[in-house]
Coordinates of all heavy atoms in Angstrom, one line a residue:
M54 N 161.3 177.9 107.6 CA 160.2 178.9 107.3 C 159.0 178.0 107.1 O 158.9 177.1 106.3 CB 160.6 179.6 106.0 CG 159.7 180.8 105.8 SD 160.2 181.8 104.5 CE 159.0 183.0 104.4
A55 N 158.0 178.4 107.8 CA 156.7 177.7 107.7 C 155.5 178.7 108.0 O 155.7 179.6 108.8 CB 156.6 176.5 108.5
F56 N 154.4 178.4 107.4 CA 153.2 179.2 107.6 C 152.1 178.3 108.3 O 151.9 177.2 107.9 CB 152.7 179.9 106.4 CG 153.7 180.9 105.7 CD1 154.5 180.5 104.8 CD2 153.8 182.1 106.2 CE1 155.4 181.4 104.3 CE2 154.8 183.0 105.7 CZ 155.5 182.6 104.8
T57 N 151.4 178.9 109.3 CA 150.4 178.1 109.9 C 149.0 178.9 110.0 O 149.0 180.1 110.1 CB 150.8 177.9 111.4 OG1 152.0 177.0 111.3 CG2 149.7 177.1 112.2
Y58 N 148.0 178.2 109.9 CA 146.7 178.7 109.9 C 145.8 177.8 110.8 O 145.8 176.6 110.6 CB 146.0 178.9 108.5 CG 144.5 179.4 108.8 CD1 144.4 180.7 109.0 CD2 143.5 178.6 108.6 CE1 142.9 181.2 109.1 CE2 142.1 178.9 108.7 CZ 142.0 180.3 109.0 OH 140.6 180.8 109.1
A59 N 145.2 178.3 111.9 CA 144.3 177.6 112.8 C 143.0 178.0 112.5 O 142.5 179.2 112.7 CB 144.6 177.8 114.2
C60 N 142.1 177.1 112.1 CA 140.6 177.4 111.6 C 139.9 178.0 112.8 O 139.1 178.9 112.7 CB 139.9 176.2 111.2 SG 138.5 176.5 110.3
S61 N 140.2 177.5 114.0 CA 139.5 178.1 115.3 C 139.8 179.5 115.5 O 139.1 180.2 116.3 CB 139.9 177.2 116.5 OG 141.3 177.3 116.6
D62 N 140.8 180.1 114.9 CA 141.1 181.5 115.2 C 140.1 182.3 114.3 O 140.0 183.6 114.7 CB 142.5 181.9 114.6 CG 143.6 181.4 115.6 OD1 143.3 181.0 116.8 OD2 144.8 181.3 115.2
Y63 N 139.4 181.8 113.4 CA 138.5 182.6 112.6 C 137.2 182.7 113.4 O 136.7 181.8 114.0 CB 138.2 181.9 111.3 CG 137.5 182.8 110.3 CD1 138.3 183.5 109.3 CD2 136.1 182.8 110.3 CE1 137.6 184.3 108.4 CE2 135.5 183.6 109.3 CZ 136.2 184.4 108.4 OH 135.6 185.1 107.5
P64 N 136.7 183.9 113.5 CA 135.5 184.2 114.2 C 134.3 183.3 113.9 O 134.0 183.1 112.7 CB 135.0 185.7 113.8 CG 136.3 186.3 113.5 CD 137.2 185.1 112.8
G65 N 133.9 182.6 114.9 CA 132.8 181.6 114.7 C 133.2 180.2 114.4 O 132.4 179.3 114.4
M66 N 134.5 179.9 114.2 CA 134.9 178.7 113.9 C 135.6 177.9 115.0 O 136.3 176.9 114.9 CB 136.0 178.8 112.8 CG 135.5 179.2 111.4 SD 134.3 178.0 110.7 CE 134.0 178.8 109.1
A67 N 135.5 178.5 116.3 CA 136.1 178.1 117.4 C 136.1 176.5 117.7 O 137.1 176.0 118.1 CB 135.6 178.8 118.7
P68 N 135.0 175.9 117.5 CA 135.0 174.3 117.7 C 135.9 173.5 116.7 O 136.1 172.4 116.9 CB 133.6 173.9 117.7 CG 132.8 175.2 117.5 CD 133.7 176.2 117.0
C69 N 136.2 174.2 115.6 CA 136.9 173.5 114.6 C 138.4 173.1 114.8 O 139.1 174.1 115.2 CB 136.8 174.1 113.2 SG 137.6 173.3 111.8
P70 N 138.8 171.9 114.8 CA 140.2 171.4 115.2 C 141.2 171.7 114.0 O 142.3 171.4 114.1 CB 140.0 170.1 115.6 CG 139.0 169.6 114.7 CD 138.0 170.7 114.5
G71 N 140.7 172.1 112.8 CA 141.5 172.3 111.6 C 142.7 173.2 111.9 O 142.5 174.2 112.3
R72 N 143.9 172.7 111.6 CA 145.1 173.5 111.8 C 146.2 173.0 110.8 O 146.3 171.8 110.6 CB 145.6 173.3 113.2 CG 146.8 174.2 113.6 CD 147.3 173.9 115.0 NE 148.5 174.7 115.3 CZ 148.4 175.9 115.8 NH1 147.1 176.4 116.1 NH2 149.4 176.6 116.0
F73 N 146.7 174.0 110.0 CA 147.5 173.6 108.9 C 148.8 174.3 108.9 O 148.8 175.4 109.2 CB 146.8 173.8 107.5 CG 145.3 173.4 107.7 CD1 144.3 174.2 107.9 CD2 145.1 172.0 107.4 CE1 143.0 173.7 108.1 CE2 143.8 171.4 107.6 CZ 142.8 172.3 107.9
T74 N 149.8 173.7 108.4 CA 151.1 174.2 108.3 C 151.7 173.8 107.0 O 151.7 172.7 106.7 CB 152.0 173.8 109.6 OG1 151.5 174.2 110.8 CG2 153.5 174.4 109.5
A75 N 152.3 174.8 106.4 CA 152.9 174.5 105.2 C 154.2 175.2 104.9 O 154.4 176.3 105.6 CB 152.0 174.8 103.9
K76 N 155.1 174.8 104.0 CA 156.3 175.6 103.8 C 156.0 176.9 103.2 O 156.7 177.9 103.4 CB 157.3 174.7 103.0 CG 158.7 175.3 103.0 CD 159.6 174.3 102.2 CE 161.1 174.7 102.1 NZ 161.8 173.8 101.3
T77 N 155.2 177.0 102.3 CA 154.8 178.2 101.5 C 153.4 178.7 101.7 O 152.6 177.8 102.1 CB 155.1 178.0 100.0 OG1 154.1 177.1 99.6 CG2 156.4 177.5 99.7
K78 N 153.2 179.9 101.6 CA 151.7 180.4 101.7 C 150.9 179.9 100.6 O 149.7 179.6 100.8 CB 151.8 182.0 101.6 CG 151.6 182.6 103.0 CD 151.4 184.1 102.9 CE 151.6 184.7 104.2 NZ 151.4 186.2 104.3
D79 N 151.4 179.6 99.5 CA 150.6 179.1 98.4 C 150.2 177.7 98.7 O 148.9 177.4 98.5 CB 151.4 179.0 97.1 CG 151.5 180.3 96.3 OD1 150.7 181.3 96.7 OD2 152.3 180.4 95.4
E80 N 151.0 176.9 99.3 CA 150.5 175.6 99.7 C 149.6 175.7 100.9 O 148.6 174.9 100.9 CB 151.8 174.6 100.2 CG 151.3 173.3 100.4 CD 152.4 172.4 101.1 OE1 153.6 172.8 101.1 OE2 152.0 171.4 101.6
L81 N 149.7 176.5 101.8 CA 148.9 176.7 102.9 C 147.5 177.0 102.5 O 146.5 176.5 103.0 CB 149.3 177.7 103.9 CG 148.6 178.0 105.2 CD1 148.6 176.8 106.0 CD2 149.2 179.2 106.0
W82 N 147.4 177.9 101.4 CA 146.1 178.3 100.9 C 145.3 177.1 100.3 O 144.2 177.0 100.4 CB 146.2 179.4 99.9 CG 146.1 180.8 100.4 CD1 147.3 181.5 100.7 CD2 145.1 181.4 101.0 NE1 146.8 182.8 101.3 CE2 145.4 182.7 101.6 CE3 143.7 181.1 101.1 CZ2 144.6 183.6 102.1 CZ3 142.9 182.0 101.8 CH2 143.3 183.2 102.3
E83 N 146.1 176.2 99.7 CA 145.5 175.0 99.2 C 144.9 174.1 100.2 O 143.8 173.6 100.1 CB 146.6 174.1 98.6 CG 147.3 174.7 97.3 CD 146.5 174.7 96.1 OE1 145.7 173.7 95.9 OE2 146.5 175.7 95.3
H84 N 145.6 174.1 101.4 CA 145.0 173.3 102.5 C 143.8 174.0 103.1 O 142.7 173.4 103.4 CB 146.1 173.2 103.7 CG 147.2 172.3 103.3 ND1 147.1 171.0 103.2 CD2 148.5 172.6 103.1 CE1 148.3 170.4 102.9 NE2 149.2 171.3 102.9
I85 N 143.8 175.4 103.2 CA 142.7 176.0 103.7 C 141.6 175.9 102.9 O 140.5 175.7 103.3 CB 143.1 177.5 104.0 CG1 144.3 177.8 105.0 CG2 141.9 178.4 104.3 CD1 144.8 179.2 105.1
E86 N 141.7 176.0 101.7 CA 140.6 176.0 100.7 C 140.0 174.6 100.6 O 138.8 174.4 100.6 CB 141.1 176.5 99.3 CG 141.4 178.0 99.3 CD 141.8 178.4 97.9 OE1 141.8 177.7 96.9 OE2 142.1 179.6 97.8
L87 N 140.9 173.6 100.6 CA 140.3 172.2 100.7 C 139.5 172.0 101.9 O 138.5 171.4 101.8 CB 141.4 171.2 100.5 CG 141.0 169.7 100.4 CD1 140.2 169.4 99.0 CD2 142.3 168.8 100.5
H88 N 140.1 172.4 103.1 CA 139.4 172.2 104.4 C 138.1 173.0 104.4 O 137.1 172.4 104.8 CB 140.3 172.9 105.5 CG 139.7 172.9 106.7 ND1 139.5 171.8 107.6 CD2 139.2 173.9 107.5 CE1 139.0 172.1 108.7 NE2 138.7 173.5 108.8
A89 N 138.0 174.2 103.7 CA 136.8 174.9 103.8 C 135.8 174.2 103.0 O 134.6 174.0 103.3 CB 137.0 176.3 103.2
L90 N 136.2 173.7 101.8 CA 135.3 172.9 100.8 C 134.7 171.6 101.6 O 133.5 171.3 101.6 CB 136.1 172.6 99.6 CG 135.2 172.0 98.5 CD1 134.2 172.9 98.0 CD2 136.2 171.5 97.3
V91 N 135.7 170.8 102.0 CA 135.3 169.4 102.7 C 134.5 169.6 104.0 O 133.5 168.9 104.3 CB 136.6 168.6 102.8 CG1 136.1 167.3 103.5 CG2 137.1 168.3 101.4
T92 N 135.1 170.4 104.9 CA 134.6 170.4 106.2 C 133.4 171.4 106.4 O 132.5 171.1 107.1 CB 135.8 170.7 107.2 OG1 136.9 169.7 107.1 CG2 135.3 170.7 108.7
H93 N 133.6 172.6 105.7 CA 132.6 173.7 106.0 C 131.7 173.9 104.8 O 130.8 174.6 104.9 CB 133.3 174.9 106.3 CG 134.2 174.8 107.6 ND1 133.6 174.6 109.0 CD2 135.6 174.9 107.8 CE1 134.6 174.6 109.7 NE2 135.9 174.6 109.1
E94 N 131.9 173.0 103.8 CA 131.0 173.0 102.6 C 130.9 174.5 102.1 O 129.7 174.9 101.6 CB 129.6 172.5 102.9 CG 129.7 171.0 103.2 CD 128.3 170.3 103.6 OE1 127.5 171.0 104.1 OE2 128.2 169.1 103.4
E95 N 132.0 175.1 102.0 CA 132.2 176.5 101.4 C 132.8 176.4 100.2 O 133.7 175.5 99.9 CB 132.8 177.4 102.4 CG 132.1 177.9 103.6 CD 133.0 178.8 104.4 OE1 133.9 179.5 103.8 OE2 132.7 179.0 105.6
D96 N 132.5 177.2 99.2 CA 133.2 177.3 97.9 C 134.2 178.5 97.9 O 133.7 179.6 97.8 CB 132.2 177.4 96.8 CG 132.8 177.4 95.4 OD1 134.1 177.3 95.4 OD2 132.2 177.5 94.4
P97 N 135.5 178.1 98.1 CA 136.5 179.2 98.3 C 136.6 180.1 97.0 O 137.0 181.3 97.1 CB 137.9 178.4 98.4 CG 137.5 177.0 98.8 CD 136.1 176.8 98.2
S98 N 136.1 179.5 95.8 CA 136.0 180.5 94.7 C 135.2 181.6 94.8 O 135.2 182.6 94.0 CB 135.9 179.6 93.4 OG 134.5 179.2 93.4
E99 N 134.2 181.4 95.8 CA 133.2 182.4 96.0 C 133.6 183.4 97.1 O 132.7 184.3 97.4 CB 131.8 181.9 96.3 CG 131.2 181.1 95.1 CD 130.0 180.5 95.4 OE1 129.5 180.5 96.6 OE2 129.3 179.9 94.4
W100 N 134.8 183.2 97.7 CA 135.1 184.1 98.8 C 135.4 185.5 98.3 O 136.3 185.6 97.4 CB 136.4 183.5 99.5 CG 136.1 182.5 100.4 CD1 134.9 181.9 100.8 CD2 137.0 181.5 101.0 NE1 135.0 180.8 101.6 CE2 136.3 180.5 101.6 CE3 138.5 181.5 100.9 CZ2 137.0 179.5 102.4 CZ3 139.2 180.4 101.7 CH2 138.4 179.4 102.4
P101 N 134.9 186.5 98.8 CA 135.2 187.8 98.4 C 136.6 188.2 99.0 O 137.2 187.6 99.8 CB 134.2 188.7 99.1 CG 133.7 188.0 100.3 CD 133.8 186.5 99.9
D102 N 137.2 189.3 98.5 CA 138.6 189.6 98.9 C 138.6 190.0 100.4 O 139.7 189.6 101.1 CB 139.0 191.0 98.1 CG 139.4 190.7 96.7 OD1 139.4 189.4 96.4 OD2 139.6 191.6 95.9
D103 N 137.7 190.4 101.0 CA 137.7 190.8 102.4 C 137.8 189.5 103.3 O 138.2 189.4 104.4 CB 136.6 191.7 103.0 CG 135.3 191.0 103.0 OD1 134.9 190.3 102.0 OD2 134.5 191.4 103.9
E104 N 137.2 188.4 102.7 CA 137.1 187.1 103.4 C 138.6 186.6 103.4 O 139.1 186.1 104.4 CB 136.3 186.1 102.7 CG 136.3 184.7 103.2 CD 135.3 184.5 104.3 OE1 134.4 185.3 104.5 OE2 135.4 183.4 105.1
R105 N 139.3 186.8 102.3 CA 140.6 186.2 102.0 C 141.6 187.1 102.9 O 142.5 186.6 103.5 CB 141.1 186.3 100.7 CG 140.4 185.2 99.8 CD 140.8 185.2 98.4 NE 140.1 184.1 97.7 CZ 140.6 182.9 97.6 NH1 141.8 182.5 98.2 NH2 139.9 181.9 97.1
S106 N 141.3 188.4 103.1 CA 142.1 189.3 103.9 C 142.1 188.9 105.4 O 143.0 188.9 106.1 CB 141.6 190.7 103.8 OG 141.7 191.2 102.4
K107 N 140.8 188.5 105.8 CA 140.5 188.1 107.2 C 141.4 186.8 107.5 O 142.1 186.8 108.6 CB 139.2 187.7 107.5 CG 138.3 189.0 107.9 CD 136.9 188.6 108.4 CE 135.8 189.1 107.5 NZ 134.5 188.6 108.0
I108 N 141.4 185.9 106.5 CA 142.1 184.7 106.8 C 143.6 185.0 106.6 O 144.4 184.6 107.5 CB 141.8 183.6 105.6 CG1 140.3 183.1 105.8 CG2 142.9 182.5 105.7 CD1 139.7 182.3 104.7
E109 N 144.0 185.8 105.7 CA 145.4 186.2 105.5 C 146.1 186.7 106.8 O 147.1 186.5 107.2 CB 145.5 187.1 104.4 CG 146.9 187.8 104.2 CD 147.9 187.0 103.4 OE1 147.4 186.3 102.5 OE2 149.1 187.0 103.8
A110 N 145.1 187.6 107.6 CA 145.6 188.3 108.8 C 145.8 187.2 109.9 O 146.5 187.5 110.9 CB 144.6 189.3 109.2
L111 N 145.2 186.1 109.8 CA 145.3 185.2 110.8 C 146.5 184.1 110.5 O 146.8 183.2 111.4 CB 144.0 184.3 111.0 CG 142.7 185.2 111.5 CD1 141.5 184.4 111.3 CD2 143.0 185.6 112.9
I112 N 147.1 184.2 109.4 CA 148.1 183.3 109.1 C 149.3 183.7 109.9 O 149.7 184.9 109.8 CB 148.4 183.2 107.6 CG1 147.3 182.6 106.9 CG2 149.7 182.5 107.2 CD1 147.3 182.6 105.3
T113 N 150.0 182.8 110.6 CA 151.2 183.1 111.3 C 152.4 182.4 110.6 O 152.3 181.3 109.9 CB 151.2 182.6 112.7 OG1 150.9 181.2 112.7 CG2 150.1 183.3 113.5
G114 N 153.4 183.1 110.5 CA 154.6 182.6 109.8 C 155.9 183.2 110.1 O 155.9 184.3 110.8
D115 N 157.0 182.6 109.8 CA 158.3 183.3 110.1 C 159.1 183.4 108.8 O 158.7 183.0 107.8 CB 159.0 182.5 111.2 CG 159.1 181.0 110.9 OD1 159.1 180.6 109.8 OD2 159.1 180.2 111.9
Ligands
ZN189 ZN1 137.6 174.5 110.0

């Protein structure tokens, strides 16, 4: 079981090569938030719920 998120799937993020896979969704979110902070200079603590929903919808997993 693994969950994957590709940053380029997010609208407007197409050139970003960031892609993360983790065993749990909680860990995957850690990667996504750190990536957003370091690479995109965004503060994940300021993301509104609909931002998180958009990301959540793009997470693939089995
Ligand atoms: Zn990215």
Side-chain angles (χ1 to χ4, degrees):
M54 189 170 183
F56 296 96
T57 297
Y58 176 75
C60 196
S61 59
D62 286 345
Y63 194 91
M66 293 294 187
C69 183
R72 187 181 178 88
F73 314 98
T74 300
K76 191 176 180 183
T77 65
K78 256 189 192 178
D79 281 352
E80 188 194 344
L81 183 60
W82 274 106
E83 298 282 323
H84 290 291
I85 293 169
E86 292 183 3
L87 183 64
H88 173 76
L90 187 66
V91 173
T92 303
H93 299 293
E94 296 180 334
E95 288 181 19
D96 183 353
S98 68
E99 291 180 351
W100 287 346
D102 284 347
D103 72 318
E104 177 87 15
R105 289 180 180 273
S106 298
K107 274 192 243 174
I108 293 170
E109 173 82 33
L111 296 171
I112 292 174
T113 58
D115 45 31

